[in-house]
Amino acid sequence: MDIDSRTKLLLQEDFFKLNNNKIVVIGVGGVGSIIPISLVRTGIKKITIIDKDKVDPSNLNRQIAYNINDIGKLKVDALYSHLYEMQDDIKITKIPAKIDVNFDFSVFDEADYIIDCIDDIEAKVLIAKESFKRNIPLISSLGMGNRVDPSKVIITKLNKTTNDPLAKKFRYLLRKENIDLSKIDVAFSSETPIIKDKIISSVVFVPNSAGLNIASFVIRRIIGW
């Protein structure tokens, strides 16, 4: 039996719908690092990963894609290597870059899905605008820090979110761009943050729950479930 054998038993013929889809994952940290791993393990073969940061020791309490040997490496480099350790018939494109007005958004052109897992609000707005311009499905992760209950993470529409400062600002800025909030899927935690501080605290449960929810959502949308 190969790595995909149990997945094929579950998804049956729908499994083969996954092979030719290209997914762009932006931000491979707390929420995003588990997503390419989950996608590859489920049958996605083509993924672009975008992140400018390096692996820091403080990441290791929650970013399960990385280990102590990755400290100091660019996250996209470390994750790229780990993905090929799982599968060799995949095509991973790594882009160590910041999302801003100077970013080359043409990398979105051949994407079938865009996953936004960054917390830079201006960058999130740019991603949303570019995905709408290209008519590419988008899902964005909202605030997952300062929370401990993974059962409170759900997928919903941006206009249905509450009690999340990041979501509030995201909604405000997108309204200014005349983007319909009801058309943006988001991973959202209904849990009230247990602390409020300029430095965001986090443990392994909630970010990875969000990442797994997003990966599952994208897979189900691709195969039409």
Side-chain angles (χ1 to χ4, degrees):
M1 301 181 80
D2 61 28
I3 186 174
D4 296 321
S5 58
R6 298 301 178 95
T7 310
K8 291 174 183 174
L9 284 173
L10 179 63
L11 302 184
Q12 301 185 38
E13 290 301 314
D14 285 327
F15 171 81
F16 299 100
K17 297 178 182 178
L18 303 175
N19 295 170
N20 293 318
N21 280 266
K22 180 177 180 180
I23 313 298
V24 176
V25 182
I26 309 165
V28 288
V31 173
S33 65
I34 198 172
I35 293 175
I37 291 174
S38 302
L39 295 177
V40 165
R41 289 182 185 273
T42 312
I44 296 291
K45 304 296 184 185
K46 294 181 287 186
I47 304 174
T48 295
I49 52 176
I50 304 172
D51 199 303
K52 66 179 177 58
D53 292 335
K54 294 181 179 180
V55 179
D56 184 85
S58 67
N59 300 151
L60 300 187
N61 79 319
R62 64 197 185 282
Q63 297 181 23
I64 63 175
Y66 310 115
N67 59 57
I68 195 169
N69 297 315
D70 296 322
I71 292 173
K73 297 178 183 177
L74 285 165
K75 289 181 179 179
V76 292
D77 287 343
L79 184 54
Y80 179 94
S81 297
H82 294 319
L83 292 171
Y84 277 102
E85 288 168 356
M86 292 184 292
Q87 278 275 44
D88 58 8
D89 64 337
I90 55 177
K91 183 178 180 181
I92 308 300
T93 302
K94 52 181 180 175
I95 302 176
K98 176 181 173 63
I99 301 293
D100 58 22
V101 292
N102 298 312
F103 183 78
D104 181 6
F105 286 100
S106 67
V107 300
F108 289 2
D109 288 345
E110 297 181 0
D112 295 287
Y113 230 104
I114 296 171
I115 301 174
D116 155 35
C117 298
I118 58 178
D119 53 14
D120 180 332
I121 191 64
E122 286 78 15
K124 294 180 89 68
V125 172
L126 286 172
I127 293 165
K129 288 171 62 178
E130 293 293 334
S131 69
F132 269 69
K133 183 190 300 183
R134 291 167 170 79
N135 197 30
I136 301 170
L138 167 72
I139 182 167
S140 293
S141 175
L142 299 178
M144 299 297 160
N146 297 333
R147 297 166 172 87
V148 295
D149 186 351
S151 70
K152 299 293 179 64
V153 177
I154 60 169
I155 304 295
T156 188
K157 299 294 185 179
L158 182 57
N159 63 319
K160 301 293 185 182
T161 57
T162 58
N163 198 32
D164 182 332
L166 180 65
K168 182 179 180 180
K169 191 167 185 180
F170 197 23
R171 292 194 303 267
Y172 170 75
L173 293 174
L174 289 182
R175 284 192 184 104
K176 291 180 67 175
E177 299 289 341
N178 295 314
I179 291 178
D180 186 348
L181 306 185
S182 69
K183 294 183 178 179
I184 296 187
D185 294 306
V186 293
F188 164 70
S189 172
S190 62
E191 181 182 6
T192 302
I194 59 175
I195 62 170
K196 294 182 179 180
D197 196 285
K198 291 182 179 179
I199 299 175
I200 303 298
S201 303
S202 188
V203 289
V204 69
F205 314 114
V206 176
N208 288 288
S209 176
L212 290 171
N213 267 284
I214 290 170
S216 172
F217 180 84
V218 170
I219 292 292
R220 287 180 283 122
R221 285 296 180 272
I222 289 172
I223 63 180
W225 285 19

